[in-house]
Amino acid sequence: MSHRITSGNRLLFVTEPGGQVIEEGQTVDLTEEYPAGIDVSPFYTIRVAGGNRVVSEGAVTFKLLMKVNQVSFLTLDQITVYPGERFNRTYNVPGLGLGIKAEAENDSGVDAVDLVVIGFKF
């Protein structure tokens, strides 16, 4: 799949306005609707920003996965955020696809997270 992106920033992924709810001990594939991962191939860098809402009851770990042929290949990064915390990181593009999972701790109750991925091309 080819995209013609000339330059600048482009929104590649964002969770629903209400955020993603995760039950304790559960892992949710945030990019489930993208079997090959979010297509990051047209970009030089990506920015991943997310957070664990203040109403959450425990920590959530985000796992950023490089995908090759619809298979999770390597873990690009793993970020744990506690209720009310946010993160904002930039990466050189990790191949063709990016999958993202969110995992709630055991005994953490119900958590709600938000996530956005933005691609940048000169």
Side-chain angles (χ1 to χ4, degrees):
M1 171 185 246
S2 70
H3 296 280
R4 182 166 166 77
I5 307 297
T6 54
S7 65
N9 290 317
R10 180 167 179 201
L11 178 64
L12 303 178
F13 176 83
V14 65
T15 50
E16 295 294 321
Q20 174 69 50
V21 175
I22 307 169
E23 300 287 333
E24 66 182 72
Q26 185 181 43
T27 298
V28 174
D29 185 350
L30 298 176
T31 56
E32 183 176 18
E33 64 186 66
Y34 303 92
I38 300 166
D39 183 13
V40 294
S41 62
F43 303 95
Y44 297 111
T45 60
I46 57 170
R47 178 174 302 277
V48 180
N52 191 354
R53 292 189 176 195
V54 72
V55 296
S56 294
E57 298 177 309
V60 173
T61 299
F62 290 92
K63 294 181 181 180
L64 282 59
L65 307 164
M66 297 181 340
K67 295 191 103 175
V68 175
N69 296 329
Q70 299 186 3
V71 176
S72 297
F73 187 63
L74 293 171
T75 301
L76 174 66
D77 204 352
Q78 188 168 304
I79 305 145
T80 301
V81 287
Y82 295 88
E85 290 184 341
R86 297 182 181 104
F87 69 92
N88 186 341
R89 296 190 182 172
T90 303
Y91 305 90
N92 291 328
V93 167
L96 304 175
L98 178 70
I100 303 172
K101 293 185 179 186
E103 182 178 294
E105 290 183 332
N106 289 328
D107 303 322
S108 67
V110 178
D111 303 303
V113 298
D114 298 290
L115 187 86
V116 64
V117 179
I118 297 170
F120 177 77
K121 186 172 184 179
F122 295 108

